[in-house]
Structures are given as structure tokens and as C-alpha cells.
Amino acid sequence: MATERTPVVFIHGLWLLPNSWDRWATVFEEAGYAAVAAGWPDDPATAEEAKAHPEVFAKKSIGQIADHIEGIINGLGTKPAIVGHSFGGLLTEILAGRGLSAASVAISPAPFRGVLPLPISALRSSSSVLSNPANRNRAVMLTYDQFRYAFANAVGEDEAKQLYEEYSVPGAGKPIFQAAAANLNPATEAKVDTKNPGRGPLLIVSADQDHTVPWAIANASYKKQKSNEGITEIVKLEGRGHALTIDAGWREVADTALAFVKRFV
């Protein structure tokens, strides 16, 4: 990057695209950082393109996506801060565990091997994919009702519909199957090196009404991570669901992440 600003790499999760970070990028740029919205391999530019060509998401695995984003990070020239949401939060933890982050914020992060709680709401949120084994190698588009439950349960109906139309895109099925079987598969790609002393400071952000990554999962991830010699913190935001990075209250979450990054980078 042709800049002296410290990069902040943003990683989206399933059913979203890099443009879900556009408002965040502005906030971090105004704070003096260089914002980098790291897409997954073959991400389309817009939701319209994604809905027209869902096949581009199919068969993407956690390891493939993590390696792709590592390549982006290696091209920056400066160790960045990393901020990720949902499966992007898991990828944030994976990349931090590889020693690639100066500071990390994992927002409602998907679980990794060793995280044991499995609340009913999390099972229901992933049932749109896990209910059909063939979805492992497909891309799956959430219906509005599925999106309403998994993402937008903590906002009003009008806002939920707006978020669905503007942001929701097909998502790869494979990462959900990988995360679901992580504790049964020692070779899983859904694993995090929580012991690496080069992991750096880590903040986990949880939403108290999150159906997809409830507090039990986020807190279990925190308990696994806090054995690291680096700083590990967790915060629970009240009245928020899984859409906390894109809904009307996004700025509170962005400011929480920015304050943490500013402490260390």
C-alpha cells in the first residue's frame, strides 16, 4: 500500500460482502488508518451480481479463505489490525493465531475447535444450510424469514427488510459444515492457535440478542483465548443482534472496535 497509515483489514462473514464495511471504512480512515475490506475469493462487487451468480461462492472452505486473506495481508507491508464479523470473526482469530495481526477485534465470531456450547438458536440459525448435506458444496441464499431470525431479530420489520435487500447474498455452505464438525475432526480447518505469543491483543464483541452466535459461544471463545499471554477482552453489547455491524446501531460497534485498535496500533 502506498501509504504510511497503519492498515485495518475488515473481514466479512457469510451472507455479506466487503461493502458491508463501507461506513466502517470511513470511520477508520477519518481516525487515521488505511481501511482494507478484504473480500473472500471471487467475491462479486455488488449484491445484485452475487444474487445473479451464486455459484461463485460454492465450495469455499475456511482454510482457502484464510489463506486468501493472508495473501492480502502479506501484500500490505505493515502488520495490520484486523476486524471481522461472524465467520469473518473466526477468520480474524485464525489470522491473529498465525501472528499476522497487530490487534484484532472478533465480532460475534463463529466457533472454532474447542468451543463447546451449542445453543438451540445457533442450531436454528444454521439449519438452512445443515438441513441438507448437499449444501456443503453449494451456495445457499437465506430466505427473508431465515435472515430475520439469524441476523435481524433485534431490529424492526422495516429495517430488517431493508437490510435483507441491501446486504444479504448467497453464502458458501462448506464453512458451516466445517464449524459444525470441528470438535469431531482433529484436522479441521476451523481451528485457532490460541497459544501463539505473537497473537497480539484481542477483543471479542458479543451481542446479547444474537441468535447466530449467542453469548455462550462468544464467551467460550473468550475463555479459550484468554490463556494467551496477550491481552484478551470481551464486551457484550445490549439490545443487539447478529446484524450489529450493518444495522442502525453500527456506529456503536465501530466505535467500540476503533477504541480497542487505538489502544495498541
Side-chain angles (χ1 to χ4, degrees), residues 117-151:
L118 193 58
I120 295 297
S121 70
L123 285 171
R124 180 176 169 186
S125 293
S126 60
S127 64
S128 58
V129 175
L130 296 176
S131 59
N132 184 351
N135 285 337
R136 182 179 180 89
N137 292 315
R138 294 174 176 166
V140 178
M141 182 72 187
L142 298 180
T143 66
Y144 169 71
D145 287 342
Q146 290 166 340
F147 180 85
R148 179 79 162 120
Y149 183 84
F151 273 79

Side-chain angles (χ1 to χ4, degrees), residues 155-175:
V155 302
E157 190 76 24
D158 289 344
E159 184 178 0
K161 290 178 179 177
Q162 180 265 326
L163 293 174
Y164 181 70
E165 291 300 321
E166 183 173 352
Y167 291 108
S168 183
V169 298
K174 182 172 280 189

